[in-house]
Structures are given as structure tokens and as C-alpha cells.
Amino acid sequence: MVAATAADADDVARLRDRLAQWMVDNRIGQWVPGEYPAKIVAEEAARGEWYVWRDESATLAAAVRLIWRDPEFWGADDGTDAGYIHGLMVAPERRGRAIGPRILQFCADRTLDRGITRQRLDTASNNQVLRKYYAVQGFIELRETTLPPQFHGTSHVILMEKTLSTPAQVVESP
């Protein structure tokens, strides 16, 4: 994965809309097409918040947003040091290739690089598939909260957290 630029914004927004439409078609109340425009993605990418993975043909295969504070979901008074994961997306044609766990590890590595040992994310409270998926990845459910008003796919999300293990120190013999 590499840091996204404003030039990636249209592709990221299109992928999100594709996945949102799939969710709507499958009656999963999480994302709605059009609610996350490329303009917002471009602004966030300019702040260094988005990462993308393109395949050998330069097609967007996956994307994720990683931020260091998340008052919108976790509350303005939450001062917890954590890597907050949003918008983890894998192109439908790439499913089943363990890309999601690799993206989570990528985010964990960036988080640990900052000396932070906690990852956080959210998922729709009624999305049992993702709740189970993230639990298998080591995240624990902390609480349910109301979704910020600009999002319309659901009204409540589950806030989840994972404690990261610091990498083993390599000690070289003198």
C-alpha cells in the first residue's frame, strides 16, 4: 500500500460507491452510494489519511483511511492514542485473497511506528458479518453509539478496539 494522493480520490470514491451499492442490494445497512464524495477523499488524502493498493494494471484493488484522532465516532473528549481505521475496502473481484487482514496489518505497522499500541474501528451494529470478521482479527466490541448524521446507511455503530503487540526487539550479539 502507498499513500494516496488527490489523483486517487475519484477511484477511491468509485470503489466505495460500488461496495455501498452491493450493501444496499444485499440489505446491509452500512454505506449508501454517494455519501462519501471524491472531494472529501481528496481533502483527506492531502492530509495523508488514505492509502491505496493498485494491482499490476494500476487498477485500484483496495484502500483504507488511517487517522490518529476520531472525535466524530469516539467522542470529542476521547484522548486515546490509537490508529483509527475507516473505509477499509477491497474490490469485489479481489475478495477471498486475505487482503483485508493484510490491510489491517499495514495499519497496525503504521500505528506501532508511531509508538501507539491500540487500533480502533467501527462497523454497523446490524452488520453481523463484519462484527464477526473483526472479532476474528482480534478486535473486541467496546460499545454501541449513534452514527454521525452525515452517514445514512444505518443509525448505530459498534466501536471496536484491538491491542497491538509491539514487535520483538532484535538484539544483536556484540
Side-chain angles (χ1 to χ4, degrees), residues 16-33 92 95 153:
R16 190 178 193 285
D17 283 347
R18 281 179 63 203
L19 296 172
Q21 188 60 56
W22 180 88
M23 289 177 187
V24 169
D25 292 347
N26 287 278
R27 298 190 172 143
I28 299 169
Q30 182 139 346
W31 292 349
V32 175
R95 286 187 185 133

Side-chain angles (χ1 to χ4, degrees), residues 14-167:
R14 266 193 299 277
L15 177 58
R16 190 178 193 285
D17 283 347
R18 281 179 63 203
L19 296 172
Q21 188 60 56
W22 180 88
M23 289 177 187
V24 169
D25 292 347
N26 287 278
R27 298 190 172 143
I28 299 169
Q30 182 139 346
W31 292 349
V32 175
E35 74 181 348
Y36 212 93
K39 178 180 187 271
I40 299 298
V41 175
E43 291 168 1
E44 294 167 347
R47 293 193 300 263
E49 298 175 3
W50 279 97
Y51 295 89
V52 295
W53 175 35
R54 292 186 177 277
D55 64 18
E56 54 284 342
S57 68
T59 300
L60 184 65
V64 68
R65 182 175 177 230
L66 179 62
I67 57 178
W68 307 108
R69 290 278 180 254
D70 192 2
E72 204 169 42
F73 282 78
W74 291 80
D77 59 346
D78 181 76
T80 304
D81 284 333
Y84 294 85
I85 300 167
H86 282 286
L88 192 159
M89 299 179 280
V90 175
E93 58 276 7
R94 296 290 184 157
R95 286 187 185 133
R97 299 180 189 179
I99 294 171
R102 286 188 268 169
I103 293 171
L104 290 172
Q105 186 60 53
F106 172 86
C107 291
D109 293 344
R110 305 283 90 47
T111 301
L112 288 168
D113 287 348
R114 291 178 75 110
I116 299 170
T117 58
R118 191 176 313 203
Q119 274 185 312
R120 287 181 163 179
L121 52 77
D122 66 272
T123 188
S125 60
N126 61 358
N127 190 335
Q128 296 302 321
V129 172
L130 275 183
R131 287 172 72 174
K132 182 179 178 183
Y133 173 80
Y134 288 127
V136 167
Q137 301 303 319
F139 288 85
I140 59 168
E141 294 186 2
L142 297 181
R143 68 182 183 276
E144 185 172 329
T145 191
T146 305
L147 187 69
Q150 70 268 30
F151 300 106
H152 306 289
T154 186
S155 60
H156 289 84
V157 293
I158 298 293
L159 301 178
M160 302 180 80
E161 181 176 276
K162 178 180 182 177
T163 300
L164 303 172
S165 299
T166 56

